[in-house]
Amino acid sequence: MGVEAHKPLLESIGVDVERHAKMMGMGLGAYQNLFMSQENRPKSMEYFDWFMSEIQGERIAEINALRTQKKPAVGTFCIFVPEEIVIGAGGACYGLCGGSPATIADAETELPRNICPLIKSAHGFKLQRTCAYTQSSDFIYGETTCEAKKKSWEILNQHHPVHVMNIPHMKREKDLALWQEEIKEFKEHIEDVTGEPLSLEAMKEGVRITNEKRAALQRLDKLRGMNPEIMPISGKDALFVVQMGFLDDPQRYTQKVNALCDELEERVSQNISVFPKKTPRLIVLGTPFAPPNWKLHHAVETTGGAIINEESCIGHRYFKDNVNLDGVENEDELFKALMDRYSKIDCACFTPNEGRIEKILQMVKERKADGVIYYTLSFCHTYNVESKLVLDAMEKAGIPALAIESDYSPEDAGQIKTRVEAFMESITFHQKAREFKGL
Ligand code: BJ8
């Protein structure tokens, strides 16, 4: 149907339809160029191609149909938001637009230039009214993870309701107790939207639905990256599938990801790989890739490499842990189970951020990766500073690593490609040296 068919709805929620149509045209054009041109794609990607064509159409209609039933619609910019509670209330919890350079100039009329592009892009989408997800949300759930986000909520709140969750920056017992309280408060905020109490059983159902979604993504992650001989899907397609998990209806999405995994299993059994043997296999570490930020994946996979995992919030950090419902019999136990799961997230906003480096070393080993790329969005101080510790650990372990800092502008695409090319050459040299030594 496309966006055109939903024009009256988009107008009714305050979208600047003309500007939005231009932006969607650019986004769909980029998707066609970068994704549809790949060879030997799994057939099950057809669903995700369709979803892209309806990303600001059919899905927006679904979310607004929920709202007419007084179900909550919550927009987020962080994986700390306990989406299980919104889903348990029958609503939709989704990531908001924040990956495009096209809104940044508008954002810079209100925000400083030298903050990360994700925050500026998201803010600009609201000022332009070109993200139908933002326009559909009852409120945006912000968090106190980094300085720039924390302060920008106060300005965004002048344009759209923002509810801020106080995420501690340490994980001591007293910090975790505060965290659990914040989850409880979030539930109460959802009840304010619906005007109804939210039962324990409904929240547990929200957890089960979300656990199944994460389990499907864990399955995709293994199929994509665990077999060094056969890579049945490109990193670019796998990234896109994960990105859409932040927007789609969770149950339908889980079913589609599992159908894709069935096909990938079949491909593995038939030795169908989208990359030739000995293609350098890389893990990307660092900040999230909000769509349409596909620049790095495109550069790597058109330069003879393959990305087999994103150690990122739009990636492994999002789906690696499930919520354990064993023995949960009352609300407090449920909030604790949620806090236990969410506090395992190893975002660089924590100090110390124990466990992240060991996890990365383990991921490289398990997946037999040939190297890592540490990717930081410009002006993201937490990930940028933490890169020193991660890169030192990679050097010590003899893992080839490349650090890239970038924003959303297309201007550095050529420079990134050149650096990736040189990195790939050094990895090939490294591979040959290992073969020579019989390792
Ligand atoms: S849990 S990584 S999604 S905070 S890139 S806005 S940190 S300056 S996105 Fe993040 Fe949650 Fe952490 Fe993940 Fe700030 Fe850095 Fe920008 Fe960032």
Side-chain angles (χ1 to χ4, degrees):
M1 285 168 79
V3 171
E4 197 50 35
H6 297 285
K7 206 170 160 192
L9 167 65
L10 295 175
E11 276 169 350
S12 75
I13 56 174
V15 171
D16 180 338
V17 174
E18 211 177 299
R19 216 167 174 185
H20 175 264
K22 271 194 206 138
M23 213 177 252
M24 276 310 295
M26 285 186 323
L28 287 170
Y31 184 81
Q32 264 177 339
N33 281 341
L34 304 186
F35 287 83
M36 312 289 269
S37 58
Q38 296 173 103
E39 285 176 11
N40 197 10
R41 297 175 81 213
K43 190 154 172 23
S44 309
M45 283 306 294
E46 277 174 10
Y47 169 74
F48 299 96
D49 295 340
W50 170 83
F51 191 84
M52 178 65 191
S53 69
E54 290 295 342
I55 197 166
Q56 301 257 344
E58 200 60 29
R59 182 63 185 137
I60 295 301
E62 287 176 356
I63 291 169
N64 281 279
L66 290 175
R67 291 183 78 204
T68 59
Q69 300 161 36
K70 272 204 124 280
K71 304 291 182 195
V74 181
T76 74
F77 290 111
C78 181
I79 62 166
F80 282 122
V81 179
E83 61 188 301
E84 294 84 350
I85 292 176
V86 187
I87 292 163
C93 187
Y94 43 80
L96 298 174
C97 307
S100 166
T103 57
I104 286 185
D106 288 74
E108 286 175 351
T109 62
E110 295 199 342
L111 298 177
R113 297 187 64 153
N114 55 351
I115 60 171
C116 113
L118 196 155
I119 298 168
K120 284 192 290 184
S121 175
H123 197 88
F125 269 108
K126 180 61 217 180
L127 296 185
Q128 288 187 354
R129 294 181 289 110
T130 45
C131 172
Y133 289 91
T134 306
Q135 294 303 122
S136 298
S137 61
D138 293 307
F139 65 90
I140 293 170
Y141 200 45
E143 14 58 50
T144 54
T145 45
C146 64
E147 295 304 306
K149 264 188 182 175
K150 194 165 67 182
K151 293 308 291 178
S152 70
W153 302 136
E154 294 168 32
I155 301 167
L156 189 60
N157 191 42
Q158 294 173 350
H159 307 285
H160 201 94
V162 182
H163 178 86
V164 182
M165 181 184 199
N166 188 5
I167 297 284
H169 291 171
M170 296 179 86
K171 293 180 183 174
R172 299 161 303 181
E173 225 163 275
K174 59 184 173 183
D175 301 311
L176 299 180
L178 165 83
W179 198 325
Q180 192 171 318
E181 272 302 303
E182 291 290 304
I183 294 175
K184 184 171 174 222
E185 197 185 298
F186 179 60
K187 179 246 187 185
E188 288 161 3
H189 205 69
I190 294 296
E191 288 175 329
D192 288 345
V193 174
T194 62
E196 283 177 4
L198 180 56
S199 71
L200 174 66
E201 202 33 60
M203 286 190 280
K204 281 170 116 177
E205 185 56 14
V207 170
R208 285 185 207 105
I209 291 171
T210 315
N211 275 351
E212 279 171 20
K213 172 174 151 181
R214 289 185 284 245
L217 287 168
Q218 289 159 11
R219 192 177 161 208
L220 173 64
D221 178 47
K222 288 202 176 75
L223 281 160
R224 165 193 184 188
M226 285 294 197
N227 185 336
E229 300 293 314
I230 302 161
M231 289 170 275
I233 183 168
S234 69
K236 209 157 50 177
D237 273 338
L239 169 69
F240 185 72
V241 171
V242 180
Q243 287 175 331
M244 294 307 103
F246 287 83
L247 301 175
D248 201 353
D249 168 79
Q251 286 172 299
R252 176 177 59 209
Y253 175 79
T254 300
Q255 197 199 345
K256 295 296 178 185
V257 174
N258 277 321
L260 171 66
C261 291
D262 292 344
E263 186 186 347
L264 299 185
E265 271 171 8
E266 191 63 29
R267 285 183 151 221
V268 172
S269 71
Q270 293 174 8
N271 284 334
I272 299 173
S273 180
V274 294
F275 298 110
K277 281 193 178 148
K278 299 204 176 153
T279 297
R281 296 153 40 79
L282 306 174
I283 296 180
V284 180
L285 321 173
T287 49
F289 296 92
N293 181 12
W294 304 308
K295 190 162 60 173
L296 181 64
H297 285 63
H298 187 66
V300 170
E301 297 196 339
T302 51
T303 314
I307 294 184
I308 57 164
N309 184 284
E310 293 80 25
E311 188 269 339
S312 152
C313 288
I314 300 194
H316 190 257
R317 204 176 291 126
Y318 170 64
F319 55 72
K320 71 184 174 70
D321 302 303
N322 274 346
V323 178
N324 185 357
L325 282 181
D326 291 350
V328 170
E329 280 170 15
N330 59 45
E331 279 200 353
D332 282 342
E333 286 168 356
L334 180 74
F335 297 141
K336 175 161 187 325
L338 285 166
M339 182 276 289
D340 284 344
R341 185 263 166 202
Y342 278 90
S343 60
K344 285 185 194 143
I345 293 173
D346 48 9
C347 173
C349 70
F350 293 108
T351 183
N353 193 19
E354 279 167 356
R356 183 172 173 224
I357 290 174
E358 289 92 280
K359 179 199 70 184
I360 293 169
L361 291 169
Q362 178 74 10
M363 287 169 79
V364 170
K365 194 172 162 205
E366 276 173 1
R367 290 164 180 75
K368 299 190 173 62
D370 296 298
V372 299
I373 298 181
Y374 197 103
Y375 173 80
T376 322
L377 285 170
S378 319
F379 303 111
C380 174
H381 302 318
T382 52
Y383 279 88
N384 225 339
V385 174
E386 196 163 279
S387 71
K388 155 95 176 112
L389 302 174
V390 176
L391 293 171
D392 283 355
M394 296 302 112
E395 194 180 349
K396 197 165 162 220
I399 298 165
L402 172 70
I404 288 187
E405 186 179 341
S406 179
D407 58 17
Y408 293 160
S409 78
E411 277 145 35
D412 63 354
Q415 193 207 15
I416 289 178
K417 204 163 160 55
T418 309
R419 294 191 60 210
V420 167
E421 257 161 15
F423 184 52
M424 225 73 84
E425 271 171 32
S426 76
I427 284 185
T428 310
F429 180 77
H430 199 79
Q431 277 174 340
K432 287 196 176 132
R434 283 172 65 87
E435 273 173 22
F436 184 71
K437 287 184 199 156
L439 292 171

